[in-house]
Coordinates of all heavy atoms in Angstrom, one line a residue:
A44 N 96.5 149.4 118.3 CA 95.4 150.3 118.5 C 94.4 149.7 119.5 O 93.8 150.4 120.4 CB 94.7 150.6 117.2
I45 N 94.2 148.4 119.4 CA 93.3 147.7 120.3 C 93.8 147.8 121.8 O 93.0 148.1 122.7 CB 93.1 146.2 119.9 CG1 92.4 146.1 118.6 CG2 92.4 145.4 121.0 CD1 92.3 144.7 118.0
Y46 N 95.1 147.5 122.0 CA 95.6 147.6 123.3 C 95.7 149.0 123.8 O 95.5 149.3 125.0 CB 97.0 147.0 123.3 CG 97.0 145.5 123.6 CD1 96.8 144.6 122.5 CD2 97.1 145.0 124.9 CE1 96.7 143.2 122.7 CE2 97.1 143.6 125.1 CZ 96.9 142.7 124.0 OH 96.8 141.4 124.3
A47 N 95.9 150.0 122.9 CA 96.0 151.4 123.3 C 94.6 151.9 123.8 O 94.5 152.7 124.8 CB 96.5 152.3 122.2
S48 N 93.6 151.4 123.2 CA 92.2 151.8 123.5 C 91.7 151.0 124.7 O 90.7 151.4 125.3 CB 91.3 151.6 122.4 OG 91.2 150.3 122.0
S49 N 92.3 149.9 125.1 CA 91.8 149.1 126.2 C 92.1 149.7 127.6 O 91.5 149.4 128.6 CB 92.4 147.7 126.1 OG 93.8 147.7 126.4
G50 N 93.2 150.5 127.6 CA 93.5 151.2 128.9 C 94.3 150.3 129.8 O 94.5 150.6 131.0
T51 N 94.7 149.1 129.3 CA 95.5 148.2 130.2 C 96.6 147.5 129.3 O 96.4 147.4 128.1 CB 94.6 147.1 130.8 OG1 95.4 146.2 131.6 CG2 93.8 146.4 129.8
D52 N 97.6 147.0 130.0 CA 98.7 146.3 129.2 C 98.4 144.8 129.0 O 99.0 144.2 128.2 CB 100.0 146.4 130.0 CG 100.5 147.9 130.1 OD1 100.2 148.6 129.2 OD2 101.2 148.2 131.1
V53 N 97.4 144.3 129.7 CA 97.1 142.9 129.6 C 95.6 142.7 129.3 O 94.8 143.2 130.0 CB 97.4 142.1 130.9 CG1 97.1 140.6 130.8 CG2 98.9 142.3 131.3
V54 N 95.3 142.1 128.2 CA 93.9 141.8 127.8 C 93.7 140.3 127.6 O 94.5 139.7 126.9 CB 93.6 142.5 126.4 CG1 92.2 142.2 126.0 CG2 93.9 144.0 126.5
N55 N 92.8 139.8 128.4 CA 92.5 138.4 128.4 C 93.7 137.5 128.6 O 94.0 136.5 128.0 CB 91.9 138.0 127.0 CG 90.5 138.6 126.8 OD1 89.7 138.8 127.8 ND2 90.1 138.9 125.6
G56 N 94.6 138.0 129.5 CA 95.8 137.3 129.9 C 96.9 137.4 129.0 O 97.9 136.7 129.2
M57 N 96.8 138.2 128.0 CA 97.9 138.4 127.0 C 98.3 139.8 126.8 O 97.5 140.7 126.7 CB 97.5 137.8 125.6 CG 97.1 136.3 125.6 SD 96.6 135.7 123.9 CE 98.2 135.8 123.1
T58 N 99.6 140.1 126.9 CA 100.1 141.4 126.6 C 100.2 141.6 125.1 O 100.0 140.7 124.3 CB 101.6 141.6 127.2 OG1 102.4 140.6 126.5 CG2 101.6 141.3 128.7
L59 N 100.5 142.8 124.7 CA 100.6 143.1 123.2 C 101.7 142.3 122.7 O 101.6 141.8 121.5 CB 100.9 144.6 123.0 CG 101.1 145.1 121.6 CD1 100.0 144.7 120.7 CD2 101.4 146.6 121.5
N60 N 102.8 142.2 123.4 CA 104.0 141.4 122.9 C 103.6 140.0 122.7 O 103.9 139.3 121.7 CB 105.1 141.5 123.9 CG 106.4 140.9 123.3 OD1 106.9 141.4 122.3 ND2 107.0 140.0 124.1
D61 N 102.9 139.4 123.7 CA 102.4 138.0 123.6 C 101.5 137.8 122.3 O 101.6 136.8 121.6 CB 101.6 137.6 124.8 CG 102.5 137.6 126.0 OD1 103.7 137.4 125.9 OD2 102.0 137.7 127.2
T62 N 100.6 138.7 122.1 CA 99.6 138.6 121.0 C 100.4 138.7 119.7 O 100.1 138.0 118.8 CB 98.6 139.8 121.1 OG1 97.9 139.7 122.4 CG2 97.6 139.6 120.0
L63 N 101.3 139.7 119.6 CA 102.0 139.8 118.3 C 102.9 138.6 118.0 O 103.0 138.2 116.8 CB 102.9 141.1 118.3 CG 102.1 142.4 118.4 CD1 103.1 143.6 118.5 CD2 101.2 142.6 117.1
I64 N 103.6 138.1 119.0 CA 104.4 136.9 118.8 C 103.5 135.7 118.3 O 103.8 135.0 117.4 CB 105.1 136.5 120.1 CG1 106.2 137.5 120.4 CG2 105.7 135.1 120.0 CD1 106.9 137.3 121.7
Y65 N 102.3 135.6 119.0 CA 101.4 134.5 118.6 C 101.0 134.6 117.2 O 101.0 133.7 116.4 CB 100.2 134.5 119.6 CG 99.2 133.5 119.3 CD1 99.1 132.3 120.1 CD2 98.2 133.7 118.4 CE1 98.2 131.3 119.8 CE2 97.2 132.7 118.1 CZ 97.2 131.5 118.9 OH 96.3 130.6 118.6
L66 N 100.6 135.8 116.8 CA 100.0 136.0 115.4 C 101.0 135.9 114.4 O 100.8 135.4 113.3 CB 99.3 137.4 115.4 CG 98.0 137.5 116.2 CD1 97.4 138.9 116.2 CD2 96.9 136.5 115.7
V67 N 102.3 136.4 114.6 CA 103.3 136.3 113.7 C 103.7 134.8 113.4 O 103.8 134.4 112.3 CB 104.6 137.1 114.1 CG1 105.8 136.7 113.2 CG2 104.3 138.6 114.1
L68 N 103.8 134.1 114.5 CA 104.1 132.6 114.4 C 102.9 131.9 113.7 O 103.2 130.9 113.0 CB 104.5 132.0 115.7 CG 105.8 132.5 116.4 CD1 106.0 131.9 117.7 CD2 107.0 132.2 115.5
A69 N 101.7 132.3 114.0 CA 100.5 131.7 113.4 C 100.6 131.9 111.9 O 100.2 130.9 111.2 CB 99.3 132.3 114.0
T70 N 100.9 133.1 111.5 CA 101.0 133.3 110.0 C 102.1 132.4 109.4 O 101.9 131.9 108.3 CB 101.4 134.8 109.8 OG1 100.3 135.6 110.3 CG2 101.4 135.1 108.3
A71 N 103.3 132.3 110.0 CA 104.3 131.5 109.5 C 103.9 130.0 109.5 O 104.3 129.3 108.6 CB 105.6 131.7 110.4
L72 N 103.2 129.6 110.6 CA 102.8 128.2 110.7 C 101.7 127.9 109.6 O 101.7 126.8 109.0 CB 102.2 128.0 112.0 CG 102.0 126.5 112.5 CD1 103.3 125.7 112.5 CD2 101.3 126.4 113.8
F73 N 100.9 128.9 109.3 CA 99.9 128.7 108.2 C 100.6 128.5 106.9 O 100.2 127.6 106.1 CB 99.0 130.0 108.1 CG 98.1 130.0 106.9 CD1 97.0 129.2 106.9 CD2 98.5 130.7 105.8 CE1 96.1 129.2 105.7 CE2 97.7 130.7 104.6 CZ 96.5 130.0 104.6
N74 N 101.6 129.2 106.6 CA 102.4 129.0 105.3 C 103.1 127.7 105.3 O 103.2 127.1 104.2 CB 103.4 130.2 105.2 CG 102.8 131.5 104.9 OD1 101.8 131.6 104.2 ND2 103.4 132.6 105.5
F75 N 103.5 127.2 106.4 CA 104.2 125.9 106.5 C 103.2 124.8 106.3 O 103.5 123.8 105.6 CB 104.9 125.9 107.9 CG 105.3 124.5 108.3 CD1 105.8 123.6 107.4 CD2 105.2 124.1 109.6 CE1 106.2 122.3 107.8 CE2 105.6 122.8 110.1 CZ 106.1 121.9 109.1
L76 N 102.0 124.8 107.0 CA 101.1 123.7 107.0 C 100.1 123.7 105.8 O 99.5 122.7 105.5 CB 100.3 123.7 108.3 CG 101.1 123.5 109.6 CD1 100.1 123.6 110.8 CD2 101.8 122.2 109.6
E77 N 100.0 124.8 105.1 CA 99.0 124.9 104.1 C 99.3 124.0 102.9 O 100.5 123.8 102.5 CB 98.9 126.3 103.5 CG 97.9 126.6 102.5 CD 96.4 126.4 103.0 OE1 96.3 126.2 104.2 OE2 95.5 126.6 102.2
V78 N 98.3 123.3 102.5 CA 98.4 122.4 101.2 C 97.3 122.9 100.3 O 96.3 123.5 100.7 CB 98.2 120.9 101.6 CG1 99.3 120.4 102.4 CG2 96.8 120.7 102.2
F79 N 97.4 122.6 99.0 CA 96.5 123.1 98.0 C 95.8 121.9 97.3 O 95.7 121.9 96.1 CB 97.2 124.0 97.0 CG 97.8 125.2 97.6 CD1 99.2 125.2 98.0 CD2 97.1 126.3 97.9 CE1 99.7 126.3 98.6 CE2 97.6 127.5 98.5 CZ 99.0 127.5 98.9
L80 N 95.4 120.9 98.2 CA 94.8 119.7 97.6 C 93.5 120.0 96.9 O 93.2 119.4 95.9 CB 94.7 118.7 98.8 CG 94.0 117.4 98.4 CD1 94.8 116.7 97.4 CD2 93.8 116.5 99.6
V81 N 92.7 120.9 97.5 CA 91.4 121.2 96.9 C 91.6 121.8 95.5 O 90.9 121.3 94.6 CB 90.6 122.2 97.8 CG1 89.3 122.5 97.2 CG2 90.4 121.6 99.2
W82 N 92.5 122.7 95.3 CA 92.7 123.3 94.0 C 93.2 122.2 93.0 O 92.8 122.2 91.9 CB 93.6 124.5 94.1 CG 93.2 125.6 95.0 CD1 93.8 126.1 96.1 CD2 92.0 126.4 94.8 NE1 93.1 127.1 96.6 CE2 92.0 127.3 95.9 CE3 90.9 126.4 93.9 CZ2 90.9 128.2 96.1 CZ3 89.9 127.3 94.1 CH2 89.9 128.2 95.2
E83 N 94.1 121.4 93.5 CA 94.7 120.4 92.6 C 93.6 119.4 92.2 O 93.6 118.9 91.1 CB 95.9 119.7 93.3 CG 96.6 118.7 92.4 CD 98.0 118.3 92.8 OE1 98.7 119.2 93.3 OE2 98.3 117.2 92.7
M84 N 92.8 119.0 93.2 CA 91.7 118.0 92.9 C 90.8 118.6 91.8 O 90.4 117.9 90.9 CB 90.9 117.7 94.1 CG 89.7 116.9 93.9 SD 90.1 115.1 93.7 CE 90.2 114.7 95.5
S85 N 90.5 119.9 92.0 CA 89.6 120.5 91.0 C 90.2 120.5 89.6 O 89.5 120.2 88.6 CB 89.3 122.0 91.4 OG 88.5 122.6 90.5
R86 N 91.5 120.8 89.5 CA 92.1 120.8 88.2 C 92.2 119.4 87.6 O 92.0 119.2 86.4 CB 93.5 121.4 88.3 CG 93.6 122.9 88.6 CD 95.0 123.5 88.3 NE 95.9 122.9 89.3 CZ 96.2 123.5 90.4 NH1 95.7 124.6 90.8 NH2 97.1 122.9 91.3
D87 N 92.4 118.4 88.5 CA 92.5 117.1 88.0 C 91.2 116.6 87.5 O 91.1 115.8 86.5 CB 93.0 116.1 89.1 CG 94.5 116.3 89.4 OD1 95.2 116.8 88.5 OD2 95.0 115.9 90.5
I88 N 90.1 117.0 88.1 CA 88.8 116.5 87.7 C 88.5 117.2 86.3 O 87.9 116.6 85.4 CB 87.7 116.9 88.7 CG1 87.9 116.0 90.0 CG2 86.3 116.7 88.2 CD1 87.0 116.4 91.1
Q89 N 88.8 118.5 86.2 CA 88.5 119.2 85.0 C 89.3 118.7 83.8 O 88.9 118.7 82.6 CB 88.7 120.7 85.2 CG 87.7 121.3 86.2 CD 88.0 122.7 86.5 OE1 89.0 123.3 86.0 NE2 87.2 123.3 87.4
S90 N 90.6 118.3 84.1 CA 91.5 117.9 83.0 C 91.4 116.4 82.7 O 91.9 115.9 81.7 CB 92.9 118.2 83.3 OG 93.4 117.5 84.5
G91 N 90.8 115.6 83.7 CA 90.8 114.2 83.6 C 92.0 113.5 84.2 O 92.1 112.3 84.2
G92 N 92.9 114.3 84.7 CA 94.2 113.7 85.3 C 93.9 112.9 86.6 O 94.8 112.1 87.0
I93 N 92.7 113.1 87.2 CA 92.4 112.3 88.4 C 92.4 110.8 88.1 O 92.8 110.0 89.0 CB 91.0 112.7 88.9 CG1 90.7 112.0 90.2 CG2 89.9 112.5 87.9 CD1 91.4 112.5 91.4
V94 N 92.1 110.4 86.9 CA 92.1 109.0 86.5 C 93.4 108.4 86.6 O 93.6 107.3 87.1 CB 91.5 108.8 85.1 CG1 91.6 107.4 84.7 CG2 90.1 109.3 85.0
L95 N 94.5 109.1 86.2 CA 95.8 108.6 86.2 C 96.3 108.4 87.7 O 97.0 107.4 88.0 CB 96.8 109.5 85.5 CG 96.5 109.7 84.0 CD1 97.5 110.7 83.4 CD2 96.6 108.4 83.3
K96 N 95.9 109.3 88.5 CA 96.3 109.1 89.9 C 95.5 108.0 90.6 O 96.1 107.3 91.5 CB 96.0 110.5 90.7 CG 96.9 111.6 90.2 CD 96.7 112.9 91.1 CE 97.6 114.0 90.6 NZ 97.4 115.2 91.4
L97 N 94.3 107.8 90.2 CA 93.5 106.7 90.8 C 94.1 105.3 90.4 O 93.9 104.3 91.1 CB 92.1 106.8 90.4 CG 91.3 108.0 91.0 CD1 89.9 108.0 90.5 CD2 91.3 107.9 92.5
L98 N 94.8 105.3 89.2 CA 95.3 104.0 88.7 C 96.7 103.7 89.3 O 97.2 102.6 89.1 CB 95.4 104.1 87.2 CG 94.1 104.1 86.4 CD1 94.3 104.3 84.9 CD2 93.3 102.9 86.7

Side-chain angles (χ1 to χ4, degrees):
I45 291 174
Y46 273 84
S48 63
S49 67
T51 178
D52 294 332
V53 180
V54 179
N55 293 328
M57 298 181 69
T58 64
L59 175 60
N60 190 57
D61 294 335
T62 302
L63 292 177
I64 290 174
Y65 180 97
L66 291 174
V67 169
L68 291 178
T70 302
L72 195 60
F73 170 79
N74 292 324
F75 163 38
L76 297 179
E77 182 67 1
V78 295
F79 300 95
L80 178 60
V81 179
W82 300 120
E83 183 161 323
M84 173 81 82
S85 177
R86 289 194 296 267
D87 286 341
I88 291 175
Q89 293 171 0
S90 66
I93 184 74
V94 175
L95 298 177
K96 292 184 178 179
L97 292 175
L98 292 175

